[in-house]
Amino acid sequence: MPFRRFGRPGLLGLAARTAVVAGTASAVGGAMRNHQERAADERADAEAWEAEQTVPVRPQPAAGAPAEPDLMSELERLGQMRQQGLLTDAEFAAAKQRLIGG
């Protein structure tokens, strides 16, 4: 018949219990960390998807109002026309003055 000890656990029992508690705590902590990382990744993916789906909407001018040209694009277009020789320097200066001065 094996010897059974009553009362406090022996050194081996104490070490085994400590190992089980530490292992369980480590497993639970790791599982929680993995869950939080997955949740953060899912939120980031959802935000990225929403950002891709959102198309910036430009305000449309009123039906009766003429559309205003973009000043920079018009100046670039005039500069290209001058470089290509389609506008003289005087014509370029006059067109630029009309755009800037109104």
Side-chain angles (χ1 to χ4, degrees):
M1 184 157 98
F3 176 70
R4 173 120 172 117
R5 181 182 165 128
F6 293 99
R8 291 186 185 175
L11 184 59
L12 187 58
L14 188 60
R17 183 179 300 154
T18 302
V20 168
V21 169
T24 303
S26 176
V28 169
M32 288 180 63
R33 185 174 45 252
N34 288 340
H35 174 73
Q36 290 171 346
E37 288 175 358
R38 277 196 309 273
D41 288 343
E42 289 174 2
R43 279 193 304 271
D45 290 344
E47 290 172 3
W49 183 81
E50 282 185 27
E52 290 174 1
Q53 301 305 315
T54 305
V55 178
V57 179
R58 289 186 172 174
Q60 297 294 324
E68 288 192 27
D70 182 26
L71 181 63
M72 289 304 294
S73 64
E74 286 295 314
L75 288 173
E76 288 173 1
R77 185 178 67 82
L78 288 173
Q80 290 173 354
M81 290 175 68
R82 185 179 73 179
Q83 286 177 348
Q84 294 171 354
L86 299 175
L87 291 177
T88 65
D89 288 339
E91 291 171 331
F92 173 75
K96 184 172 76 169
Q97 191 60 36
R98 270 197 316 270
L99 283 175
I100 294 174

